[in-house]
Amino acid sequence: MLRIGICDDNQTDLERIKGALCQCLTEMAFECQTDISLFSDGRVMYEESRQRIFNLVFLDLEMPGWGGFDLAERLHMSSPETSIVFVSIHDSLVYQSFTYTPLWFVRKKRLCGEMTQAVQQYFRKTAHTRVRYRLKEGIGFREIPITDIRYVECSGHTMKIRTRSGGQYEKYGSLKAEEDELGKYGFIRIHKNFLVNMGWIDEVGNRHIVLKDGTELDMGKDRRKAVMEGMTRYGRKHG
């Protein structure tokens, strides 16, 4: 499910943005189920985002009350994984928008063409999020989105896959094999017993890391430099 929010206080522009977006997704033959929600008030959109996280949002910059910049700042704090596209009639605001690290800037007078660029950029940025991790389960398999895995913990030859929901899956193997498989998707070895999804790391201390859900994990004494360098590369690629 791709959850998209559009916020614009002008009802006509709201429908135009939605129409351009739907046309773009159709032309790109996007097959995933899409849920598009329309808002004419930034505060209402923000409150809704607290209940269900949007993957992608389109924000008009000039609105009564909370403008696009105000809303973007709050969305970034509450759900940093949400990709933000600013929409405006004023070309001059594109430079001011860089402060908020948007995914893209769409000008209303070039809505269709620039909408395509914005959506293509979103798919390029999030390509890794659609990768799924396959686990043997009974006589079949279970698939987990890579982004739902917080970290892998090794205990002897038992790998414990810890997920977003707090769930745990176990498999037999070695952490080195898991590192070889998951390393290309943004996972980094922080300890002989831990392989962590860098997208979940919130803080790197001297001998520990803290995940975004508050979980604290030990870090090997000689691994901090490699972890910091890995986080820098990850931020450049996914930021």
Side-chain angles (χ1 to χ4, degrees):
M1 171 70 74
L2 176 61
R3 292 187 173 88
I4 301 174
I6 305 173
C7 192
D8 195 310
D9 64 305
N10 185 300
Q11 189 63 38
T12 300
D13 285 348
L14 198 59
E15 295 295 339
R16 285 183 62 232
I17 296 169
K18 179 182 178 182
L21 174 62
C22 290
Q23 179 181 339
C24 175
L25 292 173
T26 298
E27 291 175 352
M28 295 176 67
F30 182 64
E31 297 179 353
C32 180
Q33 187 177 357
T34 304
D35 177 22
I36 302 176
S37 300
L38 305 182
F39 302 90
S40 57
D41 186 296
R43 291 177 184 271
V44 175
M45 182 184 201
Y46 175 71
E47 290 303 322
E48 181 69 17
S49 75
R50 301 287 297 275
Q51 305 301 317
R52 56 191 185 112
I53 295 174
F54 293 108
N55 305 108
L56 176 64
V57 295
F58 294 84
L59 309 180
D60 181 34
L61 287 181
E62 296 184 304
M63 296 184 288
W66 289 2
F69 292 149
D70 298 317
L71 184 52
E73 186 171 4
R74 288 169 170 81
L75 288 172
H76 182 70
M77 292 294 292
S78 63
S79 53
E81 62 267 50
T82 298
S83 294
I84 295 172
V85 175
F86 289 128
V87 185
S88 180
I89 197 171
H90 300 295
D91 295 5
S92 59
L93 292 176
V94 64
Y95 300 106
Q96 189 177 344
S97 74
F98 292 160
T99 302
Y100 301 87
T101 59
L103 175 73
W104 209 256
F105 188 100
V106 173
R107 292 168 290 184
K108 290 184 178 180
K109 63 184 179 182
R110 300 183 181 178
L111 193 57
C112 291
E114 295 186 354
M115 176 64 72
T116 298
Q117 293 175 321
V119 173
Q120 288 175 338
Q121 178 66 9
Y122 173 76
F123 287 145
R124 281 194 291 269
K125 177 186 175 183
T126 61
H128 70 290
T129 70
R130 294 185 288 279
V131 178
R132 303 182 76 83
Y133 182 85
R134 205 177 199 204
L135 275 166
K136 184 83 167 96
E137 190 173 79
I139 60 173
F141 293 90
R142 173 187 290 270
E143 291 189 340
I144 307 168
I146 287 286
T147 51
D148 279 1
I149 300 175
R150 296 179 298 143
Y151 64 96
V152 181
E153 181 179 359
C154 173
S155 178
H157 290 290
T158 299
M159 303 296 109
K160 298 178 181 179
I161 316 296
R162 311 279 190 175
T163 65
R164 175 194 296 265
S165 65
Q168 174 183 306
Y169 302 95
E170 294 188 1
K171 64 180 290 188
Y172 182 84
S174 73
L175 199 57
K176 178 60 169 65
E178 296 301 309
E179 184 179 8
D180 291 343
E181 180 179 355
L182 295 173
K184 56 182 174 290
Y185 300 119
F187 284 71
I188 191 166
R189 187 85 166 260
I190 68 162
H191 186 276
K192 64 179 182 178
N193 294 330
F194 295 115
L195 179 67
V196 180
N197 184 341
M198 285 188 280
W200 276 90
I201 296 178
D202 186 54
E203 178 185 329
V204 179
N206 290 323
R207 292 294 303 274
H208 72 279
I209 62 128
V210 180
L211 302 186
K212 291 178 179 178
D213 63 354
T215 300
E216 188 171 309
L217 300 175
D218 291 336
M219 180 170 61
K221 63 180 181 180
D222 299 324
R223 294 186 183 267
R224 189 175 191 277
K225 181 179 178 181
V227 171
M228 293 298 293
E229 290 175 350
M231 289 293 292
T232 299
R233 290 193 298 271
Y234 182 87
R236 289 171 181 165
K237 185 175 180 180
H238 301 288

